[in-house]
Amino acid sequence: MAVDYAVIVVYLAGMLAMGWWGMRRARSKSEFLVAGRRLGPAMYSGTMAAIVLGGASTIGGVGLGYQYGLSGAWMVFTIGLGLLALSVFFSARIARLKVYTVSEMLDLRYGGGRAGIISGVVMWAYTLMLAVTSTIAYATIFDVLFDMNRAVAIVLGGSIVVAYSTLGGMWSITLTDMVQFVVKTIGVLLLLLPIAVVKAGGFSEMKAQLPTEYFDPLGIGGETIFTYVLIYTFGMLIGQDIWQRVFTARSDSTAKWGGTVAGTYCLAYALAGAVIGTAAKVLYPKLGSPDDAFATIVKDELPVGVRGLVLAAALAAVMSTSSGALIACATVANNDIWSRLRGLGKAPAVNADDHDEVKGNRLFILIMGLAVICTAIAIDNVVEALTVAYNLLVGGLLVPILGGLVWKRGTVYGALASVVAGGLAVVVLMATYGILANEPVYYGLLASLAAYVIVSLATPATDAAVLTAWRERLAGRSPELASEPAPVSQ
């Protein structure tokens, strides 16, 4: 195990070194929060794939493969579908807005800050819980490596992410995510996948050992697949953590085609996880929990050195999602909530690159990081925490965000009603049916849609000047964009 330990230590040290290097580049708000909006196709694709494929997609994806076979790929597959939809249909318009948060987009579209602060609170809760659930996963990985206490593992892993994120912001996260993307590709796709299949005796032996349901592409159930689409595919369309990566693209085409490549990669990653889990079922048919499949097959079947690299891949998956959610959480907390509560204007300044706000955003990453670590130690049920986050996100924000992009008759009052109705419906129904039930997101989404349409049609249309400015912004013709730094090649 000494070699495995060395691989992990070198990897963690490298993450901290990149955080220090990124600090030298992050000298403005734009550089710190969105990497200067200058990422080229290669870096954009790699970092986008890294953030959406976290511990749930890696450890959880293998666990679903262990439990359901090939149809266990559907959770991660729907994440890939959501990223493809975002990239093909919306990313170019989102990138041209030149904002920092989803709530700022709502301010631009509907006028004023009334919709922004409520949506900011919902988005903050989502990003906080996403960061928490990612941070909890450190306990699983460090338990395999060092037989470490859960709280100590969370503090160790969380502190490294908070450190490099605080130092260099999005530049540090971009650099570390690119390394993490390469490590995940090598560790999971190129090493663990073929080794697992060979150890299980090949596909013919896997088919002979397991029930036919394990090879049914719909074996997990139509209702489960539909729920995954609602939560994860739609969640990809509107999450602050995802949008903040879109904002880093240096051009419309980078956002569109780079995201398409990342989405396609997610589809391959989904299938790989399911196949690894299916192989683990052959090798270890009586594991106590499906989520133990990844750690068990890595610990028992991989040779020294390779084992360390694959565990580094799992660590990379967790860190990439955790850091992306952390900077998103801090950005929303500072720009959408704190600045408004301090009375710094009805809406945050969306093009404040002419003055340095790095120190304030760095402080918020540190504060939110400490909050994430403490919350992760206190929470036991990861699945419930993640479900609450996505239910609130989709039930409360999907309709006003997509409605603002595609329906010009939507109004600020319709958006407010949609957020409130959808959010309350989700909370009440989770209390009634249970957190893991499907009804909260189904009916919450319907309530949000009904409130948006009815209230928008019953209230005066959005001011023509606001819509004109919105269309100019979408087209990338706003004179306010002049302060953005010119993109450079990567």
Side-chain angles (χ1 to χ4, degrees):
M1 287 293 286
V3 176
D4 297 327
Y5 294 158
V7 171
I8 298 296
V9 170
V10 169
Y11 168 76
L12 294 177
M15 296 300 98
L16 290 174
M18 288 184 183
W20 183 262
W21 187 86
M23 182 176 65
R24 300 170 59 188
R25 301 198 64 169
R27 300 186 181 276
S28 70
K29 180 179 179 179
S30 176
E31 295 283 354
F32 192 82
L33 295 183
V34 291
R37 308 187 196 276
R38 58 180 71 183
L39 297 191
M43 289 191 74
Y44 179 85
S45 298
T47 56
M48 182 62 88
I51 187 176
V52 300
L53 296 174
S57 300
T58 304
I59 299 171
V62 171
L64 287 171
Y66 182 90
Q67 187 173 2
Y68 298 105
L70 298 185
S71 66
W74 271 106
M75 184 188 77
V76 183
F77 201 82
T78 55
I79 291 174
L81 292 178
L83 185 53
L84 285 171
L86 174 71
S87 302
V88 172
F89 298 112
F90 299 108
S91 64
R93 283 183 281 178
I94 292 170
R96 286 195 292 265
L97 290 174
K98 296 293 189 290
V99 294
Y100 294 104
T101 68
V102 175
S103 295
E104 288 175 0
M105 167 265 170
L106 293 174
D107 288 340
L108 288 170
R109 167 59 182 82
Y110 296 110
R114 287 167 291 187
I117 190 165
I118 297 176
S119 64
V121 171
V122 176
M123 190 65 77
W124 173 79
Y126 156 72
T127 53
L128 178 70
M129 295 310 299
L130 184 62
V132 166
T133 54
S134 299
T135 303
I136 291 173
Y138 294 125
T140 300
I141 298 169
F142 285 125
D143 177 61
V144 174
L145 277 171
F146 310 115
D147 193 24
M148 187 178 289
N149 174 269
R150 178 181 183 274
V152 174
I154 289 172
V155 170
L156 175 60
S159 296
I160 292 171
V161 170
V162 171
Y164 73 69
S165 300
T166 302
L167 286 172
M170 187 59 81
W171 265 123
S172 294
I173 293 171
T174 295
L175 295 170
T176 53
D177 277 1
M178 199 62 202
V179 173
Q180 288 158 355
F181 169 75
V182 173
V183 171
K184 278 192 288 190
T185 300
I186 295 173
V188 175
L189 297 184
L190 302 184
L191 292 176
L192 182 57
L193 174 61
I195 290 174
V197 171
V198 169
K199 292 283 187 178
F203 286 104
S204 58
E205 183 64 20
M206 290 162 63
K207 288 184 177 180
Q209 293 286 336
L210 297 173
T212 56
E213 293 81 13
Y214 266 70
F215 302 93
D216 179 357
L218 302 178
I220 198 170
E223 184 178 357
T224 299
I225 295 171
F226 181 67
T227 302
Y228 284 160
V229 170
L230 279 184
I231 294 178
Y232 298 115
T233 301
F234 287 158
M236 288 295 105
L237 298 179
I238 59 174
Q240 169 68 25
D241 52 323
I242 309 302
W243 277 42
Q244 200 156 343
R245 295 311 173 96
V246 176
F247 299 151
T248 66
R250 75 181 182 201
S251 67
D252 299 354
S253 60
T254 296
K256 182 175 182 178
W257 298 113
T260 300
V261 170
T264 304
Y265 178 90
C266 291
L267 303 184
Y269 200 89
L271 184 59
V275 171
I276 293 168
T278 304
K281 183 67 175 179
V282 173
L283 295 168
Y284 312 101
K286 296 182 180 180
L287 289 179
S289 168
D291 286 340
D292 293 337
F294 180 89
T296 302
I297 196 170
V298 169
K299 194 172 184 179
D300 293 351
E301 302 297 335
L302 299 186
V304 173
V306 174
R307 179 170 51 216
L309 186 57
V310 173
L311 287 172
L315 199 57
V318 174
M319 284 187 160
S320 57
T321 300
S322 180
S323 60
L326 175 59
I327 194 172
C329 178
T331 303
V332 170
N334 189 19
N335 289 267
D336 294 337
I337 301 174
W338 178 243
S339 65
R340 298 171 194 257
L341 294 178
R342 290 180 62 199
L344 298 181
K346 293 184 179 179
V350 297
N351 288 296
D353 292 355
D354 55 336
H355 66 282
D356 188 2
E357 296 185 8
V358 172
K359 289 183 179 179
N361 284 293
R362 184 173 281 141
L363 177 61
F364 264 86
I365 289 181
L366 180 60
I367 294 171
M368 291 298 107
L370 294 175
V372 165
I373 291 172
C374 293
T375 307
I377 293 173
I379 290 179
D380 290 326
N381 196 315
V382 179
V383 176
E384 288 191 356
L386 193 61
T387 301
V388 169
Y390 273 100
N391 281 354
L392 286 172
L393 177 71
V394 174
L397 294 181
L398 178 70
V399 171
I401 292 172
L402 295 189
L405 289 170
V406 302
W407 191 41
K408 66 179 182 179
R409 187 59 182 83
T411 70
V412 64
Y413 300 104
L416 285 169
S418 178
V419 174
V420 173
L424 287 177
V426 164
V427 171
V428 170
L429 290 170
M430 283 193 296
T432 304
Y433 288 96
I435 290 176
L436 299 180
N438 293 328
E439 286 83 358
V441 71
Y442 292 171
Y443 297 126
L445 195 54
L446 289 175
S448 180
L449 178 61
Y452 183 70
V453 173
I454 293 171
V455 176
S456 290
L457 293 177
T459 53
T462 303
D463 187 86
V466 172
L467 288 178
T468 299
W470 166 253
R471 285 192 289 268
E472 289 294 303
R473 195 67 166 238
L474 280 177
R477 293 192 296 264
S478 172
E480 296 176 282
L481 305 185
S483 63
E484 289 290 336
V488 297
S489 299
Q490 293 292 329

